[in-house]
Amino acid sequence: MTVERIHRADDPRVAAFRDVRDGELLRARGKFMAEGRLIVRRVVEDRRFSVQSILVNEAALADLAAVVQGTALEIPIYVCGAEELRGISGYDVHRGCLALVERPPETPVDDLLAAAGSLVILEGVTNADNVGGVFRNAAAFGVGGVLLSPTCCDPLYRKAIRTSMAASLRVPFARVEEWPAALARVRAAGFTIVALTPREPSETLDVFAARASGSRVALVAGTEGAGLTPAVEAAADYRVRIPISSEVDSLNLAVAVGIALHVLNATTIAR
């Protein structure tokens, strides 16, 4: 562990951390940013990830020292005060801790389909908190992977990782380019495609789950408000809904996916 002190926000040694809020730029450079002590601890401990450098305040350094010292890795650690950290990143960093990490190789779609016993598929979900919440649910209910349409938020964007409690670092995912044509590949791999939608015609989730025991289910969910596109709903094998009060228009996406996975996990999704 090499500790270096930073006294100015424009110090060139921490130039990469000034891009922390631009997830697409980091992605184009083959990097992602881990934020918060829990997340940084996990990427340091997980040998699948190559940590390039860490930027912390004094409190975070003390908290993470044992973890970093316990590895054989030589990771440069830059330490600065709260004001300098805010000046470098442009915002108040969660728990005063960032790590710049190399992106792992992308998972090929066919590999994901072959290995997963169940899937969640997201269409056009751009909200990082919702994507992170879905990954957290996927990890909780033993889902084998997440498939993303082309416009979905990057699961390795810092907010998505943080909301997922690092689940997006563990649950395999892949992004498809041909959409919604890629659903045919999912069906050909042996999955039953189930569209989660509040619209009719659809059946309640529990009715479907009772009938579908043993199926390899791919649960498809879309954005809040607009939901799934008509093309995706038409391409699904089944359309299911979660019964809710007529006084409420819809559920938060991550909440809805969590409820659906709980019901399906009891009857159809193999752990």
Side-chain angles (χ1 to χ4, degrees):
M1 178 176 70
T2 304
V3 176
E4 301 181 34
R5 302 285 168 174
I6 301 296
H7 301 289
R8 304 188 331 270
D10 61 353
D11 191 309
R13 291 174 293 177
V14 293
F17 290 93
R18 286 193 280 274
D19 298 325
V20 63
R21 291 187 293 178
D22 193 336
E24 286 305 309
L25 179 59
L26 288 169
R27 182 178 170 189
R29 292 175 175 172
K31 307 284 193 299
F32 71 89
M33 198 70 71
E35 180 181 12
R37 299 176 201 177
L38 169 68
I39 307 303
V40 172
R41 183 178 288 110
R42 289 189 173 172
V43 296
V44 170
E45 292 175 337
D46 192 332
R47 296 302 178 87
R48 293 176 304 146
F49 298 107
S50 174
V51 180
Q52 302 299 290
S53 56
I54 297 174
L55 177 64
V56 293
N57 61 21
E58 294 286 355
L61 176 65
D63 194 15
L64 293 170
V67 175
V68 177
Q69 290 171 348
T71 74
L73 304 175
E74 273 298 318
I75 303 170
I77 300 180
Y78 302 112
V79 185
C80 63
E83 185 176 344
E84 288 75 24
L85 184 56
R86 190 181 307 110
I88 294 166
S89 64
Y91 71 105
D92 290 318
V93 174
H94 180 66
R95 303 210 67 196
C97 188
L98 293 167
L100 184 66
V101 189
E102 290 280 348
R103 291 182 71 93
E106 293 189 5
T107 301
V109 174
D110 289 339
D111 289 0
L112 183 71
L113 297 179
S118 58
L119 287 174
V120 171
I121 304 176
L122 296 181
E123 181 189 31
V125 180
T126 58
N127 182 283
D129 291 322
N130 277 336
V131 169
V134 167
F135 270 82
R136 189 172 179 177
N137 290 331
F141 294 107
V143 173
V146 177
L147 197 63
L148 305 164
S149 76
T151 58
C152 282
C153 171
D154 180 15
L156 297 185
Y157 177 54
R158 60 181 177 84
K159 286 188 67 179
I161 300 173
R162 195 175 76 230
T163 305
S164 79
M165 295 295 288
S168 63
L169 300 176
R170 303 193 309 273
V171 176
F173 67 88
R175 188 180 298 272
V176 295
E177 296 303 325
E178 309 83 12
W179 186 260
L183 293 175
R185 289 172 72 182
V186 177
R187 182 180 292 106
F191 289 91
T192 298
I193 300 174
V194 180
L196 185 59
T197 177
R199 292 187 285 265
E200 297 288 357
S202 60
E203 60 185 322
T204 60
L205 181 64
D206 56 340
V207 168
F208 166 78
R211 187 177 68 251
S213 179
S215 300
R216 292 177 77 203
V217 170
L219 179 71
V220 193
T223 60
E224 290 183 28
L228 294 169
T229 59
V232 169
E233 289 195 16
D237 299 306
Y238 298 94
R239 295 163 52 141
V240 302
R241 68 183 185 276
I242 300 170
I244 60 174
S245 168
S246 60
E247 298 179 1
V248 178
D249 291 334
S250 62
L251 294 170
N252 166 268
L253 170 63
V255 170
V257 170
I259 292 170
L261 293 179
H262 169 70
V263 174
L264 292 171
N265 192 63
T267 53
T268 65
I269 294 181
R271 295 183 68 84

